[in-house]
Amino acid sequence: MQIVSIAVSKKKGTTKTPVEETFISKDHGLEGDAHAGPWHRQVSLLAAESIAEAKSRGLDVGFGDFAENIATVGVDWKTLPVGTRVRLGEQVVIEITQIGKECHNRCAIYYKAGDCIMPREGVFARVLAEGRIKCGDPIEFIEKK
């Protein structure tokens, strides 16, 4: 289980731009990301396997195109219960707060990709412990509820 992509965006409702590493602040989220802030969806996560599946269906998508902050391999995020705590890299600890989301209207992501899998497969978390993460960092479950 590891991080394969990290992405940020300046505006909500848009695709994110991949970066090699970033700082994640406690009770805030990824440095420079529009979704960071004092709420329950500070970090968004998506399985790289889900992105690959969307590509296999003919969608022209890559990392960041579904507005996910972190894409991973080896974790089926949508099956983990709310409250699960996860370590990203050596320092960052997050707690899953929401699985999926409701989209009220079709955003730029839907129009670019032709579909958006975040409402079905994305997971959101709040940051309990801050630090730096980079692509290739390991992922470890601390506590599964």
Side-chain angles (χ1 to χ4, degrees):
M1 298 184 303
Q2 75 178 148
I3 296 169
V4 294
S5 174
I6 303 165
V8 296
S9 64
K10 297 287 183 203
K11 289 177 57 178
K12 292 182 179 183
T14 63
T15 60
K16 295 187 182 292
T17 303
V19 297
E20 199 56 36
E21 65 178 68
T22 194
F23 188 82
I24 300 182
S25 300
K26 181 179 179 187
D27 295 325
H28 188 74
L30 278 73
E31 194 172 77
D33 188 67
H35 291 92
W39 69 321
H40 68 289
R41 288 178 15 194
Q42 297 168 349
V43 178
S44 59
L45 303 112
L46 187 62
E49 295 87 348
S50 294
I51 297 169
E53 169 64 23
K55 282 180 95 155
S56 75
R57 292 193 321 264
L59 298 179
D60 181 19
V61 293
F63 294 130
D65 285 342
F66 293 111
E68 77 284 352
N69 289 127
I70 299 171
T72 62
V73 292
V75 182
D76 188 4
W77 292 104
K78 65 187 180 301
T79 65
L80 297 175
V82 168
T84 300
R85 292 187 176 188
V86 180
R87 183 179 324 281
L88 305 174
E90 294 181 18
Q91 302 167 313
V92 176
V93 176
I94 60 170
E95 181 179 72
I96 295 174
T97 57
Q98 184 176 328
I99 299 166
K101 67 174 189 155
E102 183 178 343
C103 283
H104 301 286
N105 52 31
R106 293 183 174 163
C107 63
I109 297 154
Y110 180 90
Y111 290 110
K112 178 188 186 295
D115 184 23
C116 187
I117 58 178
M118 282 302 283
R120 301 184 301 274
E121 301 188 32
V123 168
F124 302 89
R126 65 186 181 102
V127 182
L128 303 179
E130 66 185 23
R132 290 201 79 75
I133 61 167
K134 63 185 181 314
C135 292
D137 274 352
I139 297 166
E140 171 189 359
F141 295 117
I142 296 172
E143 178 183 331
K144 282 188 183 181
K145 295 245 174 182

